[in-house]
Amino acid sequence: MKTTKFLKTAEVEKTWIVVDAEDAVVGRLASFVAMRLRGKHRPDYTPHIDCGDNVVIINADKVKFTGNKLTDKKYYRHTGHPGGIKETTPEKLLNGRFPDRVMRKAVQRMLPKESPLARQQLSNLRVYAGSEHPHSAQNPVTVDFKSANRKNVKGA
């Protein structure tokens, strides 16, 4: 009888990857990053262990939406007070003070729902609006996400 080998926390070897988000479609990039954060690209994937990579996303302020989603899509949040529902659009977020939040929230919503493991996996994501990042000491590998499929990039 064969048994499945599960990883233990001490056996996990994490790698660092950098993804350039310039002109990339938000949903496709978020799906790719969520898969890498969970570790589902690995042959030794273990569902209950944080075995994913550390992902650095640069140029998050230059992501693209397909169709009319930039203006028509709505993000909702609640303040916690009665009648306190607020809405915003991706256009307002990308032109606002924290444009990296569009990418971070897209990835967060593609991870398993609120749990300690999901929080741990999301903490392995670093999103930067510019092209610079402070993680060069980790020797991250650049992943060319845009050349994997022609639909991953939206032309200007």
Side-chain angles (χ1 to χ4, degrees):
M1 177 184 271
K2 290 191 175 193
T3 59
T4 302
K5 172 84 170 92
F6 283 116
L7 281 178
K8 295 182 176 46
T9 307
E11 298 171 353
V12 175
E13 293 179 15
K14 291 178 165 283
T15 59
W16 284 76
I17 65 168
V18 173
V19 180
D20 186 7
E22 187 172 1
D23 294 331
V25 177
V26 171
R28 288 175 165 269
L29 180 60
S31 176
F32 171 79
V33 170
M35 184 188 70
R36 294 301 292 245
L37 286 174
R38 290 206 64 200
K40 293 190 95 172
H41 63 287
R42 298 170 57 122
D44 57 355
Y45 166 69
T46 307
H48 63 279
I49 299 291
D50 179 19
C51 58
D53 295 337
N54 290 295
V55 181
V56 178
I57 299 176
I58 57 174
N59 292 320
D61 55 340
K62 297 181 180 88
V63 293
K64 301 290 185 194
F65 284 85
T66 57
N68 294 327
K69 292 186 200 109
L70 188 64
T71 55
D72 294 351
K73 185 177 179 70
K74 300 215 181 316
Y75 294 134
Y76 295 99
R77 64 184 177 85
H78 200 282
T79 62
H81 294 285
I85 194 157
K86 304 284 183 180
E87 71 176 34
T88 187
T89 63
E91 186 177 38
K92 287 181 189 173
L93 287 176
L94 287 173
N95 294 331
R97 190 169 160 205
F98 300 106
D100 55 324
R101 288 187 182 166
V102 170
M103 203 63 233
R104 178 175 295 282
K105 292 301 275 185
V107 171
Q108 179 183 359
R109 290 170 179 147
M110 290 192 184
L111 288 175
K113 297 305 170 225
E114 188 62 29
S115 67
L117 181 60
R119 283 191 295 273
Q120 177 61 42
Q121 289 169 342
L122 191 65
S123 71
N124 295 327
L125 174 67
R126 280 87 174 174
V127 184
Y128 298 101
S131 61
E132 299 297 319
H133 65 87
H135 304 288
S136 57
Q138 281 74 26
N139 297 322
V141 178
T142 303
V143 175
D144 192 10
F145 164 76
K146 293 183 262 190
S147 67
N149 189 331
R150 65 180 181 82
K151 293 181 184 177
N152 290 346
V153 180
K154 183 178 179 202

